[in-house]
Amino acid sequence: MFDLRELSQDFERFEAGWKKRNQPALDKLVGELESDLTKRRKLIQSHEELLALRNRASQEIAVKKKAGQDAVEAIRAQKEVGDKIKTSDEELSRFQETFEAKIRSLPNVPHGDVPEGSSAEDNKEVGRWGTPGTFDFEPLSHEVFGEKRGWFHFEKAAQITGARFSISTGFAAKLERALIQFMLDLHTSQHGYIEVLPPLIANDKSLFGTGNLPKFKEDLFKLEGFEYYLIPTAEVPLSNLHREEILSVEELPKYYTAYTACFRSEAGASGKDLKGLIRQHQFNKVELVKIVHPDKSYEEHEKMRRDAEKILELLKIPYRTVLLCSGDMGFASAKTYDLEVWLPSQKSYREISSISNCEGFQARRMNSRFREKDGKIKFVHTLNGSGLAVGRTLIAILENFQNKDGSLSVPEVLRRYLGGMEKI
């Protein structure tokens, strides 16, 4: 969230940042916020003045009683102040409840480097690697290619569970497992991340900490009868590893990676990517999370971007990197890069990873802090990214490595995970 003192003192900077997000509902909320901050300050000041008045009345009563003087009038005045304090406290509590709900609904402020825009059309391409291959045949979409080989079973998954679920068998299942192992091995052995095997269920406090609650409750799968939710990404448990903690500055940075299944209701995604594996309620992902010193967070952000890009380069999958515009960024992010892989069947690039710097936004919600050498306590900065979305990486391999005879070439870096297999 935000430092309310900083928000009050530098409101114009926050307001300008929020306006860059180009969200009419947000503009309306921000329009109310400045007067709310003024009202809050006056309510607190008035309440504190009443408390001080009651303290003085108590002291006066004590002095009069000690001197053997009549304290009836002073006691009456103290009671009147007490009644006013009760009314003031109730008014302040009602206001605070509404005010805090507003503050919780405000997104992070975009970093100065973020281009202004309202949709993906305004994102800025900042890099491209590899050249999309040419085919002397019409390449099949991943779902058609997989179904022809008997690897994907969408109808059976729908029968067992419902729409937007899938079943992979045979080589497709083995290839996805190989991708998970390859990604974890690279991130732990070369990029310095500690592997974590976290719960797939998180409580409401954890999801509030990362910004999923309360705003995006409809995107989550809730367990009936519990304040527990299936995780939408391993970002949630990994980022919360140091919730309500004060780390020493020597402990920073912290790098974590985890493979988990992820669960999303995809509310609002009706009609999008109905076929295949692109938009599923359950999918596999290898996540990257960093907890870092504020002075190092943008340096660490660039390194995390390279960690994710390296996976695609070793797999030899063409991709591009885009810097998201202010209107296309996530709620908790101050700056986000998306990696997009080339899909021949769609003749376009599609997202496979988002790498975000949330600065202190999540840390304030989680109360994750560190102590400087001079003893000052500050909020850490948190970063997260997909390293990578496993199912979408599988899609990219099926589409970019298929052959005219219906076979599939295996990327060289994966062969040791697949018994040396070069082609299937």
Side-chain angles (χ1 to χ4, degrees), residues 153-164:
H153 308 273
F154 298 108
E155 290 185 7
K156 183 62 67 176
Q159 183 182 38
I160 293 171
T161 309
R164 295 191 187 274

Side-chain angles (χ1 to χ4, degrees), residues 147-186:
E147 285 186 307
K148 284 173 70 74
R149 299 302 300 263
W151 294 340
F152 298 149
H153 308 273
F154 298 108
E155 290 185 7
K156 183 62 67 176
Q159 183 182 38
I160 293 171
T161 309
R164 295 191 187 274
F165 288 89
S166 63
I167 294 173
S168 297
T169 59
F171 181 75
K174 185 178 289 188
L175 180 57
E176 189 152 352
R177 178 160 50 86
L179 282 167
I180 293 166
Q181 191 64 61
F182 163 62
M183 293 175 189
L184 289 174
D185 284 352
L186 185 70

Side-chain angles (χ1 to χ4, degrees), residues 27-75:
D27 290 344
K28 181 178 182 297
L29 184 62
V30 172
E32 300 169 355
L33 187 60
E34 189 168 21
S35 61
D36 285 344
L37 286 165
T38 301
K39 183 176 180 180
R40 177 179 177 272
R41 184 170 60 252
K42 288 180 178 179
L43 285 172
I44 291 173
Q45 183 178 349
S46 174
H47 190 67
E48 289 176 346
E49 287 173 355
L50 287 171
L51 292 173
L53 189 59
R54 183 175 65 181
N55 288 339
R56 287 197 297 271
S58 296
Q59 291 170 4
E60 183 182 352
I61 291 168
V63 169
K64 284 181 180 267
K65 285 185 174 182
K66 187 175 181 180
Q69 298 174 359
D70 184 4
V72 172
E73 187 61 27
I75 292 171

